[in-house]
Amino acid sequence: MTELQYLGGFGNQLSSEALPGSLPMGRNSPQRVANGLYAELLSGSAFTAPRAENRRTWMYRRQPGVKCTGTAHQALPHPTWKTGAAAGVATPPDPMRWHAMPVPTDRALDFIDGLHTIVVNGDADAQTGIAAHLVLANCSMQRVLINADGEMLIVPQQGAMTITTELGVLHVAAGQIVLIPRGMAFRVALDGPTRAYVCENYGAPFRLPELGPIGSNGLANARDFQCPVAAFEADLQPTTVVRKFGGQLWQARADASPFNVVAWHGNLVPFRYDTKHFMVIGSISFDHPDPSIFTVLTSPSDTPGTANCDFVIFPPRWLVMEDSFRPPWFHRNVMSEFMGLVHGQYDAKPEGFKPGGMSLHNSLVPHGPDAEAFDKASNAQLAPHKLDDTLAFMFESRWRFRCTDFALNGGALDPRYAECWAPLSDHFKA
Ligand code: FE2
């Protein structure tokens, strides 16, 4: 089991050294770094960003980035990785749902090859919006990925991943999430056929939401986030580096693997979070709160309270409300909702929404419980009830999503989705 350390809080200054004595003390870039290392800064915010939002990490490494992340890049075509609203296609204002797509077995697909963009919004150059991707992969990366367009929030659904980053190694499996900061080199190894959802966030980095009247505890607690400890490869072999930059992929050879950081300190770190540590808050009287109560991480936009993206989960929880329709109500939200199901059942669609599937309910597109869920919840005995074995999530954005051509024509779109509401009849009695 790889060693990890706790963040303690977002933005905390952390440090780690794989070889004792490698980390300079009292200064960031001494004239000569111990053990013959190079000092290199990776910044995740403008130098003058407010202190609470400022992110950067100093790395002490055997080779600097210019030697180990490639130069003289060549364009690398990728048929299914799309960036920004402009890469989407005309998308009707329909509720949409996709069946779980199988992991192909007829060809080798690593994390990069296997990435399929489903919905896009915003603009990576303008640092707004996100893309939601589905990764269907069956082999480990033999190359390195650096995403200069956005951070990557990975939500594994099937299969476990070992993610090697410049700052160390993270293991992640279904039920956990991992975040790779923008611009940090990483490589994904798999233990078998793998399906994962990914939010590529071009906007402000994900952070914990404010808690307001909830107080100082609850939702995702800062202490439960874990980041790696420093680890470096002993044998720095030449490697292929793929860079996502300006909505395109580029490829170059580098003299040495970038996983050569012997020590580091800072607050720009990859991290892992286990959703089972999420403290769920809900109604203990009647009705239920808005789903914002399930926000794990938020990427704010320039308008307060109006997120570029909220990462929201629907984990196991007790339902105890009296005289209430307990599943999500019928709604038309101005925010746009992309959903996936990691495992179990989703209470608004007990049968129709399967693990590995996806749905899109765009801005102001009406949706809600299917007819079966509506009937059941309208007539249920309202004893305390535990929703168990369930983990759905949402990437919710203020920016309307556009589907990709792959999403609309790739074969997984469910053309009969709207039929789940067909049996809802007019019960009105004058
Ligand atoms: Fe919704």
Side-chain angles (χ1 to χ4, degrees), residues 2-81:
T2 308
E3 216 181 320
L4 294 171
Q5 60 177 327
Y6 285 96
L7 262 59
F10 273 50
N12 272 6
Q13 300 293 335
L14 303 166
S15 63
S16 182
E17 54 183 1
L19 182 65
S22 301
L23 199 60
M25 300 305 288
R27 59 206 65 211
N28 294 322
S29 54
Q31 185 180 22
R32 280 187 293 278
V33 179
N35 301 324
L37 300 170
Y38 295 91
E40 183 175 71
L41 176 72
L42 177 64
S43 69
S45 58
F47 293 142
T48 47
R51 187 176 279 263
E53 291 164 26
N54 212 302
R55 297 283 184 276
R56 63 94 177 87
T57 286
W58 280 96
M59 304 180 195
Y60 303 96
R61 55 194 313 157
R62 294 167 57 181
Q63 290 274 264
V66 71
K67 291 280 285 181
C68 62
T69 66
T71 56
H73 291 81
Q74 304 291 315
L76 176 68
H78 193 302
T80 58
W81 191 338

Side-chain angles (χ1 to χ4, degrees), residues 169-181:
V169 180
L170 289 164
H171 297 286
V172 63
Q176 301 173 321
I177 60 166
V178 63
L179 187 133
I180 309 294

Side-chain angles (χ1 to χ4, degrees), residues 135-326:
V135 173
L136 302 169
N138 55 28
C139 68
S140 298
M141 285 169 62
Q142 303 299 321
R143 47 189 177 167
V144 171
L145 178 60
I146 298 174
N147 191 338
D149 284 351
E151 61 184 2
M152 297 184 84
L153 176 68
I154 302 170
V155 183
Q157 191 270 325
Q158 175 193 324
M161 302 178 182
T162 300
I163 304 180
T164 301
T165 75
E166 286 175 280
L167 302 194
V169 180
L170 289 164
H171 297 286
V172 63
Q176 301 173 321
I177 60 166
V178 63
L179 187 133
I180 309 294
R182 184 193 305 248
M184 189 171 287
F186 70 105
R187 186 175 59 207
V188 181
L190 309 179
D191 72 348
T194 296
R195 192 190 287 117
Y197 306 96
V198 176
C199 176
E200 183 182 5
N201 174 23
Y202 320 128
F206 276 114
R207 63 198 64 173
L208 291 170
E210 297 299 332
L211 290 178
I214 293 172
S216 57
N217 301 285
L219 310 188
N221 287 306
R223 71 178 291 256
D224 294 321
F225 290 77
Q226 295 173 298
C227 73
V229 297
F232 63 93
E233 293 179 345
D235 187 18
L236 301 184
Q237 293 293 317
T239 188
T240 298
V241 177
V242 175
R243 201 179 288 257
K244 172 100 188 312
F245 182 87
Q248 295 188 52
L249 294 187
W250 303 84
Q251 180 171 279
R253 285 294 283 177
D255 292 346
S257 159
F259 306 121
N260 63 49
V261 176
V262 179
W264 56 263
H265 76 86
N267 60 7
L268 180 70
V269 295
F271 60 75
R272 181 180 88 170
Y273 175 71
D274 195 323
T275 61
K276 74 171 186 277
H277 297 310
F278 187 84
M279 177 185 152
V280 184
I281 289 176
S283 171
I284 50 172
S285 55
F286 57 85
D287 290 351
H288 52 80
D290 294 326
S292 44
I293 203 76
F294 299 109
T295 301
V296 181
L297 297 167
T298 186
S299 160
S301 75
D302 293 342
T303 305
T306 308
N308 177 64
C309 184
D310 282 333
F311 173 63
V312 175
I313 60 170
F314 303 100
R317 61 201 182 274
W318 281 94
L319 301 180
V320 300
M321 306 86 90
E322 297 177 316
D323 185 23
S324 300
F325 183 78
R326 287 178 173 177

